[in-house]
Amino acid sequence: MPYRILVLVSQASKFELDNHSIIPSALHREGHEVHIGDIDTLNVHDSVVVCDRVRLSEEFIAGGDFPSLSEPYASAEDFDLVWVLAGTHPEAGDDSFRLLWLLNQRVPFVNDASALFFLNTKINLGAIVPAEHLPASYVSNDFGFLNALVESDADRSWVVKPTSDGCGADVFVVNALDRNRSALLGSATGNAASRNGRYGREIIGMAKRHTVAQEYVPHVRTNEKRVIIAGDTPVSGFLRFHPEHDHRSNATLGARFEALELTPEEEDFVRLLGKRMMDLGIFYSGIDMAFPYVIEVNMVNPGGLSYHTLATGEDTSSAAVNAVLESLRAAGKLR
């Protein structure tokens, strides 16, 4: 049956070949009434959550102009489903999540607002992934602790990365013999000693910042896979390659990629993980996996459909959105 679906994105001047164009287009192609809304225009007017939006009349083409949002302050509540495909500016983060939570009390989400807030972060990866499938990981704002951890074993390397950033930003590999170790760990945890030394704690206040230190998995360079999971079904993705002189494999940074192939063991694990995520309110996500380990989980705008298309020429977006909707129906979240 056709649904009335609101897809929340970030407004841009042009569409790229990414989820902002691919997923709404696939929903439209499958016969649903699709509206594009700007997540940064969410407000509450007389107890109703509203946003600027426009009804999609045709599929989006990469490079095409972003449509004029011709319905300002229209209700975001008169829909069967909301699909959030963007975050907001960090300064608006708390208020944005509260608005999403309010809207989610009235309309089902593909990924629950509470999951987007609490689980779309590297801090809580252990709440999603079984411990035996996680590299050793620490979340800390204590430079001394992390410095001692890395220094304690010269045979182990660690990936240090922000708790809630993405696309390879400020991701470093450090080890006990690295001359940059202390400087990188200091920067990752907020440079508290330097800032307090320059300004004084009384003036600058709390300077420490949390970071994630995750044990480096060597075979990540040869077997890292981005897998798109719709419900409990792996529907798309790609094999990621690390450049010779870079530890990051982000396709957005120019790393090479190829078509995804999962072994039977990997597919069984992905399906089990998909069921676990559905229990947490997550029905569409992208995981970065170097089996048997999961490195990250992404659930706001996970790339995968576009890179699969670029690698193979095959568009799997209709299968992806249909799998999401079927999983939501089976879970009783969608009529």
Side-chain angles (χ1 to χ4, degrees):
M1 66 172 294
Y3 295 107
R4 181 175 164 88
I5 302 172
L6 175 65
V7 181
L8 291 173
V9 303
S10 295
Q11 187 170 349
S13 58
K14 299 283 185 181
F15 277 110
E16 297 181 0
L17 184 65
D18 64 11
N19 288 334
H20 287 198
S21 62
I22 293 173
I23 287 178
S25 294
L27 291 168
H28 177 76
R29 187 187 315 128
E30 294 303 305
H32 303 289
E33 181 183 326
V34 183
H35 293 246
I36 296 293
D38 182 355
I39 193 168
D40 293 313
T41 65
L42 284 173
N43 290 283
V44 177
H45 285 190
D46 197 20
S47 300
V48 177
V49 181
V50 299
C51 69
D52 294 354
R53 70 182 204 208
V54 64
R55 182 173 177 176
L56 183 62
S57 60
E58 60 184 357
E59 294 185 36
F60 290 133
I61 304 299
D65 292 334
F66 193 91
S68 172
L69 300 178
S70 55
E71 301 174 69
Y73 300 131
S75 173
E77 299 181 10
D78 53 349
F79 291 93
D80 299 307
L81 184 68
V82 171
W83 197 327
V84 179
L85 286 179
T88 60
H89 190 281
E91 292 296 326
D94 288 348
D95 287 338
S96 175
F97 278 116
R98 290 173 183 130
L99 288 163
L100 289 172
W101 180 87
L102 178 61
L103 179 58
N104 196 187
Q105 305 313 297
R106 301 166 181 179
V107 187
F109 276 31
V110 170
N111 293 327
D112 286 350
S114 56
L116 294 176
F117 182 76
F118 290 110
L119 298 176
N120 192 45
T121 167
K122 300 172 185 69
I123 292 176
N124 289 334
L125 192 59
I128 301 173
V129 182
E132 63 270 23
H133 289 285
L134 285 176
S137 300
Y138 296 83
V139 179
S140 178
N141 63 358
D142 186 336
F143 163 78
F145 171 82
L146 292 177
N147 197 43
L149 172 71
V150 176
E151 193 175 30
S152 66
D153 189 343
D155 293 328
R156 300 172 84 183
S157 294
W158 299 84
V159 180
V160 178
K161 46 192 171 182
T163 58
S164 298
D165 214 332
C167 297
D170 295 323
V171 178
F172 307 104
V173 174
V174 299
N175 58 54
L177 304 179
D178 188 346
R179 290 182 178 178
N180 287 314
R181 165 175 49 90
S182 293
L184 291 174
L185 290 173
S187 176
T189 52
N191 284 318
S194 300
R195 290 166 64 82
N196 288 341
R198 289 180 64 192
Y199 306 108
R201 175 68 188 265
E202 297 82 0
I203 295 174
I204 202 168
M206 172 70 168
K208 294 197 292 185
R209 181 174 65 237
H210 283 89
T211 193
V212 175
Q214 186 180 76
E215 185 171 11
Y216 180 71
V217 178
H219 70 273
V220 74
R221 292 192 67 84
T222 56
N223 191 40
E224 184 179 6
K225 299 176 180 181
R226 165 63 61 86
V227 185
I228 299 299
I229 310 176
D232 63 352
T233 305
V235 293
S236 193
F238 56 98
L239 176 64
R240 309 175 72 164
F241 291 90
H242 293 239
E244 182 180 357
H245 301 295
D246 199 336
H247 61 272
R248 300 171 300 173
S249 61
N250 301 80
T252 52
L253 299 180
R256 188 167 64 89
F257 56 91
E258 290 183 1
L260 173 71
E261 291 185 9
L262 295 176
T263 67
E265 188 177 16
E266 288 173 336
E267 181 162 346
D268 288 345
F269 167 71
V270 168
R271 289 182 179 276
L272 287 172
L273 186 62
K275 288 181 171 62
R276 186 179 176 111
M277 287 195 284
M278 286 193 293
D279 289 339
L280 294 168
I282 304 164
F283 285 76
Y284 188 80
S285 63
I287 67 168
D288 294 332
M289 177 176 70
F291 193 76
Y293 298 114
V294 173
I295 309 301
E296 289 187 14
V297 174
N298 308 272
M299 64 188 73
V300 169
N301 188 19
L305 295 176
S306 58
Y307 293 110
H308 175 89
T309 300
L310 292 171
T312 67
E314 177 189 21
D315 183 354
T316 58
S317 59
S318 285
V321 300
N322 285 332
V324 168
L325 297 177
E326 178 57 36
S327 297
L328 289 165
R329 282 194 293 268
K333 299 189 67 172
L334 192 60
R335 59 184 171 83

